[in-house]
Amino acid sequence: MSVSKCVSRIEQSITLAITAKAKAMKAEGIDVIGMSAGEPDFDTPDNIKQAAIKAINDGITKYTPAAGLPALRKVVAEKFEKDNGLSYKPEEIIVSCGAKHSVFVAIMALVDEGDEVIIPTPYWVSYPEMVKVAGGKPVIVETTLENELKLTAEQLREAVTPRTKALIMNSPSNPSGMVYTKDELLALVEVLRELEIYTISDEIYEKILYDGAEHHSIAFLDPKVFSRTITINGVSKSYSMTGWRIGYAGGPLEVIKAMGKLQSQETSNPCSISQMATIEALTGPQDSVGKMVKAFDERRTCLVEGLNSMEGVSCVKPKGAFYAFPDFSAHYGKSVNSKVINGSVDLSNYLLEEMKVGVVPGAGFGTDAHLRISYATSMDAIKKALTRIEEGLKALS
Ligand SMILES: *Cc1c(COP(=O)(O)O)cnc(C)c1O
């Protein structure tokens, strides 16, 4: 007897492994600075909390339709229209248990055994594993620093085969913080409009932008691409609501229906109380988003400048999300205490064990030269972490 082939072919997330290790050290009383978190460190805004309390008091505590409350699907359709210029009918919207769940059901609804899904590096750790669960084949396309770690039209054209079913896009990007410009997306759209493939566009960091960067939904740029794109978003990152578990998607009716069918057999509905809170998040005052972004912006500058002042570290200033993604590869091959640092996993283990700083190895995102360092933490912690990382690097020879 053994567990399923499906589970056997996927890997345990190394990001979660290192985060668990950092937490265990903290529990032992060790002063670890955690820079591996994938969530804002702010509290959920009070108007949203109050809406949830009201939902409980009003008795909105029962099952809802599997695809979400009709009132919320309508609000999400209005959000897509207002923020992204995307016209979805409420029945072309689905609400899921987090954007991660939306991505998962989208993949399960589209990908058959042996289908190929194009995923550019650096990718969010879950995409390739989700494709594998569906029986599909992740086709990893390596981007270059020269192109700011973004997929080019030429690379996309080369990666497509008759088995290609979908492309996964994520802008602003976790982990690189890069944001595709309108022109860069238009170049990809030129290729996509000639192809019979779907695009899954994960836009969860859409509101976390810096230096005047603008977010563009790829589905907005071409009607043909719109008809084959599943646009995914959620409230976790913009409204500091990671624990509430609400994500959503808009897309072609037949795909959204298929996703709803899966959810009806899988999770039933997303939490009714969280759905009511999401209506408030999307329709209520938006000033908390700007305040959060302003705080992230100051930390971003401090962290990136600190990293770039270190020898053998190079960090492109991120334009979105809340991660720095510096290249540390100049230090690979060096050693400390007769142990060789052979890549990002060794380096992040060393930084955690010896310097007590928790960061995520780039290997988990398909780019071993880098480490992902979250700045969703206090300025004080960032400054301390910079000192420790620099000290750690100086000890390598
Ligand atoms: C955080 C994150 C998500 C998922 O967020 P949920 O909490 O599941 O809504 C999806 N995609 C990326 C790239 C993320 O970083």
Side-chain angles (χ1 to χ4, degrees):
M1 285 215 300
S2 61
V3 300
S4 70
K5 290 196 185 77
C6 162
V7 171
S8 306
R9 69 181 165 239
I10 66 171
E11 278 163 45
Q12 191 76 257
S13 150
I14 50 173
T15 64
L16 293 190
I18 203 139
T19 307
K21 198 163 155 188
K23 276 193 181 147
M25 286 169 72
K26 250 188 202 156
E28 280 174 42
I30 301 168
D31 165 37
V32 176
I33 304 174
M35 308 278 283
S36 60
E39 61 184 345
D41 55 326
F42 296 94
D43 198 7
T44 302
D46 197 54
N47 61 310
I48 299 173
K49 288 189 195 171
Q50 293 308 322
I53 291 164
K54 183 169 186 305
I56 294 173
N57 289 332
D58 289 351
I60 307 176
T61 52
K62 302 287 167 65
Y63 291 134
T64 76
L69 287 165
L72 176 54
R73 291 170 86 184
K74 188 166 163 279
V75 160
V76 170
E78 285 161 7
K79 181 264 171 231
F80 274 131
E81 179 81 57
K82 182 167 68 78
D83 290 352
N84 313 103
L86 302 174
S87 298
Y88 295 115
K89 298 188 190 82
E91 58 268 33
E92 292 167 327
I93 301 293
I94 185 165
V95 183
S96 314
C97 306
K100 188 181 221 168
H101 187 222
S102 303
V103 175
F104 187 74
V105 283
I107 289 171
M108 291 304 284
L110 295 176
V111 177
D112 278 316
E113 200 73 34
D115 281 351
E116 295 178 357
V117 178
I118 298 172
I119 305 174
T121 61
Y123 46 75
W124 190 43
V125 280
S126 297
Y127 301 144
E129 304 315 301
M130 286 176 175
V131 169
K132 287 193 233 164
V133 170
K137 184 179 161 222
V139 174
I140 307 299
V141 177
E142 288 194 22
T143 62
T144 61
L145 266 179
E146 199 187 328
N147 292 315
E148 296 183 331
L149 301 175
K150 295 179 207 173
L151 180 71
T152 66
E154 198 183 352
Q155 286 180 313
L156 173 60
R157 204 175 280 119
E158 275 170 19
V160 172
T161 77
R163 291 307 309 260
T164 306
K165 190 66 187 273
L167 160 72
I168 303 183
M169 289 289 291
N170 174 219
S171 175
S173 158
N174 171 8
S176 77
M178 293 301 121
V179 180
Y180 283 72
T181 64
K182 190 177 178 183
D183 284 344
E184 286 162 349
L185 290 174
L186 280 169
L188 295 175
V189 158
E190 278 302 303
V191 181
L192 286 169
R193 63 198 309 274
E194 305 303 330
L195 299 169
E196 295 290 316
I197 71 169
Y198 287 98
T199 300
I200 296 172
S201 183
D202 179 349
E203 305 182 3
I204 190 94
Y205 292 99
E206 114 183 282
K207 294 198 188 290
I208 304 176
L209 297 167
Y210 315 101
D211 297 340
E214 281 175 27
H215 170 75
H216 299 277
S217 289
I218 194 164
F220 176 71
L221 301 175
D222 182 89
K224 220 166 176 183
V225 172
F226 173 77
S227 71
R228 299 185 208 120
T229 296
I230 298 87
T231 306
I232 293 173
N233 210 322
V235 289
S236 283
K237 308 293 158 62
S238 302
Y239 304 97
S240 213
M241 288 174 72
T242 45
W244 299 70
R245 309 311 305 132
I246 296 287
Y248 52 81
L253 187 61
E254 67 279 11
V255 179
I256 296 298
K257 271 191 173 159
M259 290 167 70
K261 198 163 143 188
L262 276 166
Q263 284 190 188
S264 77
Q265 295 295 3
E266 191 187 51
T267 52
S268 294
N269 58 278
C271 170
S272 61
I273 302 152
S274 299
Q275 289 191 63
M276 293 307 288
T278 298
I279 293 180
E280 173 62 21
L282 295 178
T283 60
Q286 300 292 307
D287 50 314
S288 60
V289 186
K291 277 188 206 145
M292 184 172 75
V293 172
K294 192 163 173 284
F296 283 153
D297 195 5
E298 285 162 16
R299 301 169 186 181
R300 174 184 72 121
T301 302
C302 171
L303 178 61
V304 172
E305 282 175 4
L307 287 166
N308 278 325
S309 73
M310 294 177 201
E311 204 156 311
V313 180
S314 110
C315 186
V316 179
K317 206 167 185 188
K319 290 226 185 302
F322 39 71
Y323 312 99
F325 201 55
D327 184 329
F328 280 85
S329 58
H331 293 281
Y332 298 171
K334 292 184 183 175
S335 47
V336 60
N337 307 329
S338 69
K339 203 177 160 258
V340 185
I341 303 289
N342 274 321
S344 64
V345 176
D346 288 349
L347 184 59
S348 52
N349 274 324
Y350 163 67
L351 289 176
L352 180 60
E353 285 161 13
E354 302 300 326
M355 308 316 297
K356 317 287 186 261
V357 182
V359 299
V360 184
F365 309 100
T367 39
D368 196 44
H370 301 254
L371 297 181
R372 190 192 76 175
I373 307 179
S374 166
Y375 48 89
T377 184
S378 71
M379 200 64 136
D380 204 42
I382 291 169
K383 286 180 183 158
K384 252 199 213 154
L386 282 167
T387 309
R388 291 186 189 183
I389 293 170
E390 182 156 34
E391 230 172 85
L393 293 178
K394 280 187 178 150
L396 301 177
S397 57

